[in-house]
Amino acid sequence: QVQLVESGGGFVQAGGSLRLSCTASGQSFSRSLMGWFRQAPGKEREFVAAISRVGISTDYADSVKGRFTISRDNAKNTVYLQMNSLKPEDTAVYYCAARGGVVFSADPTQYNDWGQGTQVTVSS
């Protein structure tokens, strides 16, 4: 099991950037595939990005490709989400999540451990 804590959310104008961090405690971070999801008010939780155990492979939702970058530092037990060219429609609570295995999944039910979320608000 992995305990996850997100940070780095905030308020930014459209076109701006934010970097989210998610720090894990527990023994299994380096064995976990990590993902970022987001949930806007009144909407379902949606996949944003995922990264493989050693950080070689990544996957992105079409809506964020070319703007967001996921990365990880296993020595620091941390996964990051660099968000550039932010749009008002990126406004949401952002969650990091962990799952075992090696296959990417955009289905939130496939992830076992979740952080508490961090709010990102983008103004127009």
Side-chain angles (χ1 to χ4, degrees):
Q1 190 173 3
V2 179
Q3 292 79 43
L4 304 171
V5 179
E6 301 96 337
S7 61
F11 185 92
V12 64
Q13 291 189 333
S17 298
L18 283 174
R19 188 194 197 201
L20 305 183
S21 299
C22 173
T23 301
S25 59
Q27 299 294 321
S28 58
F29 177 77
S30 62
R31 299 193 298 273
S32 298
L33 186 153
M34 299 299 298
W36 285 97
F37 289 77
R38 66 187 182 187
Q39 188 165 18
K43 295 188 177 181
E44 294 186 352
R45 192 167 297 190
E46 66 172 356
F47 171 76
V48 175
I51 189 166
S52 61
R53 294 174 179 180
V54 295
I56 294 176
S57 299
T58 57
D59 190 28
Y60 295 93
D62 288 343
S63 59
V64 306
K65 279 181 182 176
R67 300 189 299 122
F68 290 10
T69 302
I70 188 171
S71 61
R72 68 189 294 165
D73 185 340
N74 285 351
K76 296 182 178 180
N77 275 14
T78 301
V79 61
Y80 305 97
L81 186 68
Q82 177 67 44
M83 305 185 295
N84 298 330
S85 302
L86 282 161
K87 305 176 181 179
E89 51 263 44
D90 294 318
T91 295
V93 177
Y94 283 71
Y95 299 88
C96 69
R99 70 184 294 261
V102 297
V103 177
F104 287 134
S105 175
D107 180 356
T109 66
Q110 298 300 309
Y111 289 75
N112 305 311
D113 301 299
W114 291 84
Q116 82 289 348
T118 186
Q119 177 70 47
V120 172
T121 303
V122 185
S123 66
S124 57

